[in-house]
């Protein structure tokens, strides 16, 4: 094996180790984040999908149904239940888009912002 091939192999292996280490850090961060949030969600009768939806609405005010569906990767049926729960809890509001009345835009309420502060780092 030539020196160049040896260097390529070492570089590839180092890259693989870096990726695995990054994935491990992401796993631990994700787990730590959920440990704190799960009891709060449970107390409200919500699940992690509710948290993800609230998180996205808080980060992208005016986000549409299609944009939320694409980011959440859930069915329309599941999405409808989650949004209904968040609306009924007063955590988000929904309004028609001024440019396209068929589109529904979502915004977090003050109550939703308070919950986001409690659940975020």
């Amino acid at each position: 094996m030539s020196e160049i091939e040896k260097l390529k192999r070492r570089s590839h292996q180092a890259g693989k180790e870096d990726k695995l280490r990054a994935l491990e850090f992401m796993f631990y961060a994700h787990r730590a984040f959920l440990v704190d949030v799960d009891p709060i969600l449970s107390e409200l009768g919500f699940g992690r999908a509710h948290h993800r939806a609230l998180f996205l609405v808080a980060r992208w005010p005016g986000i549409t149904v299609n944009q939320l569906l694409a980011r959440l990767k859930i069915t329309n049926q599941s999405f409808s239940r989650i949004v209904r729960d968040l609306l009924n809890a007063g955590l988000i509001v929904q309004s028609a888009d001024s440019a396209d009345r068929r589109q529904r835009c979502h915004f977090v309420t003050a109550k939703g912002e308070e919950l986001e502060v409690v659940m975020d780092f």
Side-chain angles (χ1 to χ4, degrees):
M1 184 182 302
S2 74
E3 284 299 312
I4 291 175
E5 289 172 336
K6 287 178 184 176
L7 287 172
K8 283 182 183 178
R9 178 173 267 178
R10 270 188 278 177
S11 175
H12 175 72
Q13 187 62 32
K16 186 176 178 182
E17 289 298 320
D18 288 343
K19 288 177 190 175
L20 289 173
R21 196 172 304 112
L23 285 171
E24 183 179 3
F25 287 140
M26 287 174 29
F27 167 77
Y28 289 124
H30 184 256
R31 187 179 67 182
F33 180 67
L34 293 176
V35 165
D36 294 337
V37 171
D38 279 345
I40 298 167
L41 293 171
S42 179
E43 202 173 293
L44 296 169
F46 292 159
R48 291 178 180 172
H50 292 87
H51 181 225
R52 289 190 301 269
L54 182 61
F55 175 87
L56 291 173
V57 172
R59 296 311 175 279
W60 287 286
I63 191 168
T64 66
V65 170
N66 288 336
Q67 291 168 332
L68 276 166
L69 282 171
R71 285 179 173 85
L72 291 170
K73 305 239 187 279
I74 58 174
T75 65
N76 205 350
Q77 183 178 2
S78 296
F79 174 76
S80 295
R81 181 184 56 80
I82 291 164
V83 168
R84 184 178 59 245
D85 291 346
L86 294 174
L87 286 166
N88 290 340
L91 300 174
I92 64 170
V93 292
Q94 181 175 266
S95 64
D97 185 4
S98 58
D100 184 353
R101 307 288 298 161
R102 297 170 297 175
Q103 291 287 334
R104 296 282 167 226
C105 299
H106 300 86
F107 301 89
V108 71
T109 64
K111 184 177 177 182
E113 286 176 1
E114 288 174 20
L115 182 59
E116 267 290 293
V117 168
V118 170
M119 291 194 300
D120 280 351
F121 288 115

